[in-house]
């Protein structure tokens, strides 16, 4: 603890300097500082929570963070009492498909500015500070919204991903990806993405159960090499262990899913040990039908009714009825779900980097933006061997890191002021990440009641569509 005070003072001075650049009056500078005090603070770096914490926010930035009493609070600072609450960093979802889902609808006609803005607000409502659109962008809207930084979650995009022709993403998203057959084409398309400053490159290496051609190894090698020349990382949609091994040898940076065809082996662990920055997402949310034997309790939570129509919740609930049109496929999915959980647990035990990515907005992720992010963490912590703290770190610091969002993911001096105030402690029960009291993104209190009222009015105005 000793030394905390000195650091705090320096940070406060730093904040005053930064703010003072535009508002020289000292009293104004102090008036803009707010102290949040009394909460249990989980900073997102995996360390033990700080009980009875205090942290400062000036404009969109965090100031000093520590135990109340150890943090120097500037005179005149506004105070927010968070006694009895728990604070965690805002979440990051590193695998999302934006723009196709709108209520019960699913198609490219929904890829509109209005729908994208609404989806960013839906993530914000759930305390998600940033998302990565994984390879299914249409046109330049994603890049425009990234530059504009509208209210809601930050928009990061992999632009258009890569598959063989007509063999990339699923369902109505299929035509969004580049279909490539030659290395020269692949490199030219990577250069196009680099010119747009794509935040990641996404490739699909999956034969969709023998129905399409898998992206060829010479093509993904060309994509990875060209992307790395432009300092862009590449993440792969995968299913099979053998593909993961070859992608690792080809220099891949991370995986959009977990290996689901069989249990991992020592050869894979050795390959991963040599590449410690490689990450895995698990998309447990996307595979939820295969993971629950009966209706999950969270279907009854009020949070769902605040953000989704009765019809949407009813349809979501029906997924867990156990009635399947194709029992054989359902059985295969259940088996793959168990392999996913075992492999996640084994990689976690081996210290491999696990991030949070849900596939929300896609074929199986559906329109449950934000909810999926929280359920992903619950599944990690209740079914896949992670502790609640490890799940929180995966959904905050780790996911922020893989998106290169250094300002997000932890609650520390100098970071962006993005955090969730919870009514209960998620270390006791990871489901408590959904007991949301307030959400702050970039220092702003997200107007959750107003968003809720807007959505409720839409449900009433267009019953059946939402
Ligand atoms: Zn996906």
């Amino acid at each position: 603890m000793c030394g905390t005070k000195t650091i705090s003072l320096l940070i406060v001075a730093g904040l005053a300097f930064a703010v003072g650049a535009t508002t020289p009056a000292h009293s104004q500078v102090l008036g803009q500082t707010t102290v949040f005090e009394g909460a249990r603070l989980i900073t997102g770096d995996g360390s033990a929570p700080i009980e009875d914490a205090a942290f400062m926010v000036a404009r969109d930035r965090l100031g000093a963070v520590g135990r109340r009493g150890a943090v120097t609070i500037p005179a005149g600072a506004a105070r927010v009492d968070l006694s009895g609450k728990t604070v965690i960093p805002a979440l990051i979802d590193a695998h999302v498909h934006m723009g196709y889902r709108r209520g019960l609808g699913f198609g490219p006609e929904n890829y509109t500015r209005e729908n994208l803005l609404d989806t960013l607000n839906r993530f914000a409502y759930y305390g998600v500070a940033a998302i990565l659109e994984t390879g299914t962008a249409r046109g330049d809207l994603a890049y425009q919204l990234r530059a504009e930084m509208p209210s809601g979650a930050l928009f990061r995009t992999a632009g258009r991903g890569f598959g063989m022709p007509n063999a990339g993403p699923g369902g109505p998203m299929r035509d969004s990806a580049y279909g490539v057959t030659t290395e020269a084409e692949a490199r030219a398309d990577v250069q196009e993405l680099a010119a747009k400053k794509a935040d990641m490159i996404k490739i699909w290496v999956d034969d969709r159960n023998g129905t399409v051609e898998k992206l060829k190894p010479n093509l993904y090698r060309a994509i990875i090499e060209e992307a790395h020349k432009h300092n862009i990382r590449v993440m792969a949609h995968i299913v099979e262990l053998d593909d993961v091994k070859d992608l690792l040898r080809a220099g891949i940076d991370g995986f959009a899913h977990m290996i689901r065809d069989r249990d991992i082996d020592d050869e894979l662990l050795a390959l991963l040990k040599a590449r410690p920055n490689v990450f895995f997402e698990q998309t447990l949310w996307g595979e939820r039908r295969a993971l629950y034997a009966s209706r999950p309790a969270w279907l009854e939570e009020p949070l769902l009714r605040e953000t989704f129509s009765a019809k949407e919740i009813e349809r979501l609930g029906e997924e867990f009825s156990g009635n399947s049109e194709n029992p054989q496929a359902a059985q295969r999915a259940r088996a793959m779900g168990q392999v996913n959980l075992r492999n996640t647990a084994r990689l976690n035990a081996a210290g491999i980097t696990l991030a949070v990515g849900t596939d929300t907005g896609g074929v199986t992720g559906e329109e449950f933006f934000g909810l999926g992010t929280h359920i992903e963490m619950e599944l990690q912590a209740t079914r896949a061997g992670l502790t609640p703290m490890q799940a929180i770190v995966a959904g905050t610091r780790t996911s922020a890191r893989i998106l290169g969002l250094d300002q997000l993911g932890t609650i520390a001096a100098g970071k962006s002021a993005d955090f969730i105030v919870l009514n209960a402690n998620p270390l006791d029960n990871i489901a408590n990440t959904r007991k949301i009291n307030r959400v702050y993104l970039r220092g702003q209190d997200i107007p959750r009641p107003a968003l809720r009222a807007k959505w409720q009015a839409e449900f009433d105005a267009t019953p059946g569509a939402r």
Side-chain angles (χ1 to χ4, degrees):
M1 274 300 126
C2 83
T4 306
K5 193 164 185 177
T6 317
I7 291 163
S8 308
L9 286 169
L10 285 170
I11 296 306
V12 171
L15 274 172
F17 178 77
V19 174
T22 48
T23 51
H26 192 59
S27 58
Q28 265 180 289
V29 172
L30 293 179
Q32 287 162 354
T33 299
T34 302
V35 182
F36 294 81
E37 52 190 350
R40 172 184 302 105
L41 177 63
I42 297 168
T43 64
D45 69 358
S47 62
I50 302 171
E51 302 291 339
D52 196 20
F55 59 94
M56 269 173 275
V57 174
R59 295 202 171 178
D60 62 345
R61 291 281 151 179
L62 287 159
V65 177
R67 278 187 72 89
R68 180 151 60 175
V71 171
T72 306
I73 297 166
R79 287 170 179 258
V80 175
D81 180 16
L82 295 183
S83 301
K85 308 292 187 196
T86 300
V87 170
I88 62 172
L91 309 177
I92 318 287
D93 193 328
H95 186 155
V96 164
H97 298 286
M98 295 288 283
Y100 294 82
R101 295 280 183 180
R102 185 173 182 275
L104 300 169
F106 187 30
E109 69 278 7
N110 295 319
Y111 204 97
T112 63
R113 184 181 175 85
E114 181 215 2
N115 191 35
L116 293 170
L117 291 172
D118 182 65
T119 303
L120 294 175
N121 279 323
R122 288 176 171 277
F123 276 115
Y125 191 89
Y126 279 84
V128 178
I131 58 92
L132 177 69
E133 175 183 59
T134 48
T136 49
R138 305 186 84 79
D140 284 332
L141 261 176
Y143 298 104
Q144 286 163 15
L145 292 177
R146 181 181 66 178
E148 287 174 27
M149 280 180 56
S151 66
L154 289 181
F155 201 142
R156 290 295 180 269
T157 183
R160 302 173 62 192
F162 291 84
M164 300 303 284
N166 199 32
M173 307 185 296
R174 175 131 315 165
D175 68 341
S176 62
Y178 295 107
V180 292
T181 52
T182 69
E183 294 173 30
E185 268 180 292
R187 286 181 191 274
D189 293 337
V190 170
Q191 286 158 16
E192 185 173 83
L193 289 169
K196 292 176 188 291
K197 297 190 164 36
D199 298 290
M200 183 80 75
I201 282 175
K202 169 80 180 283
I203 62 175
W204 280 266
V205 183
D206 184 1
D207 67 4
R208 304 276 181 194
N209 225 358
T211 61
V212 300
E213 195 178 4
K214 223 182 249 188
L215 186 63
K216 289 178 177 158
N218 70 307
L219 296 176
Y220 62 65
R221 281 186 162 75
I223 291 166
I224 294 167
E225 190 188 281
E226 191 68 29
H228 288 177
K229 265 190 216 166
H230 291 89
N231 283 319
I232 307 177
R233 285 164 304 149
V234 183
M235 69 191 280
H237 164 113
I238 48 84
V239 177
E240 297 179 12
L241 176 62
D242 286 344
D243 292 325
V244 167
K245 287 178 181 173
D246 192 59
L247 284 158
L248 285 166
R249 293 185 184 106
I252 195 82
D253 300 288
F255 296 95
H257 299 276
M258 183 49 65
I259 296 154
R260 287 159 289 161
D261 67 324
R262 51 199 164 106
D263 289 78
I264 60 169
D265 56 20
D266 291 340
E267 185 184 30
L268 178 82
L269 289 175
L271 284 164
L272 288 169
K273 280 270 146 59
R275 302 280 317 284
N277 291 324
V278 167
F279 62 87
F280 282 85
E281 298 170 358
Q282 302 96 59
T283 56
L284 299 168
W285 164 257
E287 290 157 48
R288 65 195 174 281
R289 291 171 195 76
L291 300 175
Y292 290 100
S294 58
R295 280 174 65 90
W298 46 256
L299 281 163
E300 314 304 328
E301 291 178 8
L303 187 56
L304 274 72
R305 292 194 295 278
E306 293 168 11
T307 48
F308 308 113
S309 70
K311 185 78 194 159
E312 291 176 276
I313 297 167
E314 183 192 322
R315 195 175 69 169
L316 179 60
E318 282 166 4
E319 295 175 358
F320 306 102
S321 65
N323 304 323
S324 173
E325 285 170 23
N326 186 343
Q328 235 176 331
Q331 175 57 39
R332 189 170 59 239
R334 276 196 295 277
M336 289 171 78
Q338 294 308 307
V339 176
N340 185 336
L341 297 173
R342 282 201 302 274
N343 283 343
T344 302
R346 191 147 170 226
L347 291 180
N348 184 52
I352 305 303
T353 304
L354 301 181
V356 163
T358 59
D359 225 349
T360 311
V363 174
T364 57
E366 299 187 325
E367 76 275 24
F368 301 97
F369 301 104
L371 174 69
T373 318
H374 286 265
I375 302 300
E376 184 79 22
M377 288 164 53
E378 177 169 319
L379 285 164
Q380 285 180 326
T382 56
R383 307 283 293 279
L386 280 74
T387 63
M389 184 65 95
Q390 287 175 325
I392 291 168
V393 172
T396 58
R397 185 181 64 176
T398 305
S399 290
R401 270 188 189 163
I402 68 169
L403 296 196
L405 293 168
D406 297 339
Q407 78 275 29
L408 292 177
T410 56
I411 296 178
K415 300 280 183 181
S416 185
D418 293 50
F419 55 94
I420 311 175
V421 179
L422 300 172
N423 290 324
N425 183 359
L427 300 179
D428 293 341
N429 179 354
I430 191 69
N432 288 339
T433 64
R434 301 190 295 277
K435 301 236 167 88
I436 299 171
N437 177 256
R438 281 177 191 276
V439 172
Y440 290 84
L441 298 186
R442 307 189 286 283
Q444 299 295 309
D445 185 359
I446 296 299
R448 298 176 81 245
L451 288 169
R452 189 157 67 224
K454 173 180 171 273
W455 293 324
Q456 296 297 325
E458 285 171 11
F459 303 152
D460 295 342
T462 54
R466 273 278 182 195

